[in-house]
Amino acid sequence: MNFLQNKNLDFKRIQEAVVLFAIACLTISYFGGYYLIITTIGHHSRLLREIAIVCLFLKVLTTRYNKKEFCCVGIMLLLAYISYRYSGNTRALYNFLTICALKDVDLKKVFKAALVSLCFIVVLMAVLALLGITGKVSVTENFGRGAEISTIETRYYMGYIHPNTWAQAVFTIFLLIVINFYEKIDWKGIVVLLLANYGLYRLAVSRTCFLCGIAMIVLLIWAKYGKKLFEFLIIRIGIVAGVTAVWGIIFTSRINIADNLTWTIIDWKIFTGRLLQAKVYLETCGLSAFGAHVPDTLDNGYILDMGYMRMLLENGIVIFAIMFIMTIAVLLYAFKQERNDVVIVTICICLYGIYENLAIAQIPANLILYYVSALLFQKKRDYAIIN
């Protein structure tokens, strides 16, 4: 009997190791490794992601699910496959497959693996850029966002394809630090994060990253030194309403922004043109239940940065609704378990999603989705494992 128990324990450890390896591969690929592969193997290579998806499939195939869990897994993977058939996009597949594969996996180890692998690829990209092997350290040009048409800026991006991409990778490190070391963060840690956020802004000049970083700092101070405020029902209702409103920003696409001076000013001053981008893409691509192919650039030159509109168009109404429900469910669960770190991360990622698609599109950037597995596959008496 003990022999069988030991073999079962060893097998679960192997399964967990396979998943952690897959998470590391996804993180490295998503946050920089993919760019390196493009320059060496070819544009169509997905080497690390292919390795990760095989590992995740193996974990799902060798995991025991009860009847309810099996139905949940089947429905999610079926919807992801349908979305892929309609749009050619694999993000829903990666998201749902990872959620299903995380059953019986310690989330502490998942977040540590994500942090270590993300730090590795960010440092590697920077070193290669500084050595002149691949990518650039900085660029000086007109980014088309200044008050004057001729505004020239110098922005650093340390081997990445854009300063915002590098800034988002570093900001995700900040969020993973909050998750992994929340209990140890004191006022000194908050000051370090504040200085790091300001330093990142001075280099990358990413206003989105800087503002989300400020939001993270403010929420950290609130959670650490005004913890009881998080317990007020009205505050929690306000947070849920705010997150819902952020996701509901897609409905601004019903406004004729170009012909409305007030909305034009709001769009460019606050959203840097994201609302107009979303409206143009919605009118061009249209809505569907399971998504459609969304081009990176339209014939008229527009691009789509807003994460929520791209998710809606690429994955369709059904998966968009599921992703929203998952986000709110994690937020409510965090309130119930008094996990203020999860609340902070959820709010920051949702805010980032207004401006950048990569922030909410897929695991490993959308850290919220890791917690979904705890809600779906952990028994009530085992909920503490999320900590």
Side-chain angles (χ1 to χ4, degrees):
M1 187 66 179
N2 290 333
F3 174 74
L4 292 177
Q5 288 178 340
N6 290 334
K7 287 199 68 174
N8 186 46
L9 182 61
D10 290 339
F11 183 67
K12 286 189 175 182
R13 286 174 178 171
I14 293 172
Q15 285 183 309
E16 186 174 74
V18 168
V19 172
L20 295 178
F21 177 71
I23 295 298
C25 287
L26 281 179
T27 303
I28 291 171
S29 174
Y30 198 78
F31 284 108
Y34 172 58
Y35 307 134
L36 297 180
I37 292 174
I38 287 177
T39 59
T40 56
I41 300 177
H43 181 71
H44 298 288
S45 176
R46 301 289 189 276
L47 181 61
L48 290 176
R49 299 185 191 188
E50 290 171 357
I51 293 172
I53 204 167
V54 169
C55 291
L56 294 172
F57 261 122
L58 287 174
K59 172 58 170 63
V60 171
L61 290 174
T62 57
T63 299
R64 290 185 178 181
Y65 300 98
N66 61 37
K67 290 181 180 180
K68 290 183 179 179
E69 292 172 345
F70 184 80
C71 290
C72 185
V73 170
I75 291 172
M76 283 198 293
L77 295 184
L78 177 61
L79 289 174
Y81 176 74
I82 293 173
S83 176
Y84 169 72
R85 293 294 296 174
Y86 273 83
S87 66
N89 189 281
T90 58
R91 284 172 179 163
L93 180 60
Y94 280 109
N95 288 337
F96 291 169
L97 186 61
T98 304
I99 290 171
C100 296
L102 284 174
K103 183 186 176 181
D104 299 328
V105 177
D106 188 348
L107 285 183
K108 283 185 179 180
K109 296 180 181 179
V110 170
F111 287 121
K112 287 180 181 177
L115 178 59
V116 171
S117 54
L118 179 51
C119 288
F120 165 77
I121 190 59
V122 169
V123 171
L124 178 62
M125 294 285 286
V127 170
L128 293 177
L130 289 168
L131 294 176
I133 296 175
T134 181
K136 296 181 179 180
V137 174
S138 66
V139 65
T140 300
E141 64 179 49
N142 178 13
F143 286 87
R145 61 177 192 165
E148 301 292 336
I149 296 177
S150 59
T151 299
I152 302 296
E153 300 174 283
T154 296
R155 303 174 67 183
Y156 290 81
Y157 52 103
M158 297 299 179
Y160 285 77
I161 60 174
H162 194 278
N164 290 346
T165 311
W166 175 57
Q168 187 202 340
V170 178
F171 180 70
T172 305
I173 291 177
F174 296 165
L175 294 181
L176 284 168
I177 289 173
V178 171
I179 292 174
N180 282 287
F181 305 105
Y182 178 75
E183 296 299 331
K184 297 180 180 179
I185 295 176
D186 54 12
W187 68 269
K188 295 178 183 177
I190 293 175
V191 170
V192 170
L193 286 172
L194 179 62
L195 293 176
N197 185 57
Y198 178 72
L200 180 61
Y201 172 70
R202 295 293 296 174
L203 292 173
V205 197
S206 174
R207 291 173 290 188
T208 298
C209 179
F210 179 70
L211 292 175
C212 289
I214 293 297
M216 178 189 70
I217 297 298
V218 171
L219 289 168
L220 261 176
I221 295 172
W222 183 7
K224 286 288 184 177
Y225 302 103
K227 187 175 181 180
K228 289 187 177 181
L229 287 175
F230 268 91
E231 299 174 1
F232 291 152
L233 180 61
I234 187 65
I235 296 295
R236 294 181 174 182
I237 291 174
I239 292 174
V240 172
V243 169
T244 301
V246 166
W247 278 72
I249 198 170
I250 57 171
F251 293 108
T252 58
S253 59
R254 307 298 299 174
I255 301 171
N256 195 356
I257 296 172
D259 296 333
N260 189 308
L261 180 59
T262 301
W263 272 103
T264 299
I265 294 173
I266 291 173
D267 186 22
W268 285 102
K269 291 291 185 180
I270 300 177
F271 301 106
T272 60
R274 262 62 169 180
L275 302 184
L276 182 58
Q277 290 177 1
K279 180 177 178 60
V280 172
Y281 260 82
L282 179 62
E283 292 174 347
T284 303
C285 301
L287 281 178
S288 63
F290 296 104
H293 173 69
V294 178
D296 292 331
T297 306
L298 296 179
D299 293 338
N300 55 18
Y302 276 92
I303 59 174
L304 182 58
D305 291 316
M306 183 190 289
Y308 299 104
M309 183 56 73
R310 181 169 284 275
M311 182 191 296
L312 179 63
L313 297 179
E314 283 187 340
N315 294 333
I317 298 171
V318 175
I319 290 181
F320 179 86
I322 292 173
M323 294 283 281
F324 169 71
I325 292 171
M326 286 178 173
T327 301
I328 297 299
V330 168
L331 194 57
L332 295 176
Y333 175 78
F335 286 143
K336 183 177 180 180
Q337 298 294 314
E338 297 184 358
R339 289 296 307 276
N340 292 337
D341 56 326
V342 180
V343 175
I344 292 170
V345 170
T346 301
I347 293 174
C348 290
I349 289 176
C350 287
L351 287 175
Y352 219 120
I354 298 175
Y355 300 92
E356 298 295 341
N357 165 55
L358 296 179
I360 62 165
Q362 181 184 321
I363 285 175
N366 191 341
L367 303 175
I368 303 168
L369 297 179
Y370 286 125
Y371 290 106
V372 174
S373 66
L375 300 180
L376 293 177
F377 303 121
Q378 289 183 17
K379 297 177 182 179
K380 290 184 178 180
R381 65 175 182 271
D382 296 329
Y383 269 169
I385 199 173
I386 198 173
N387 293 317

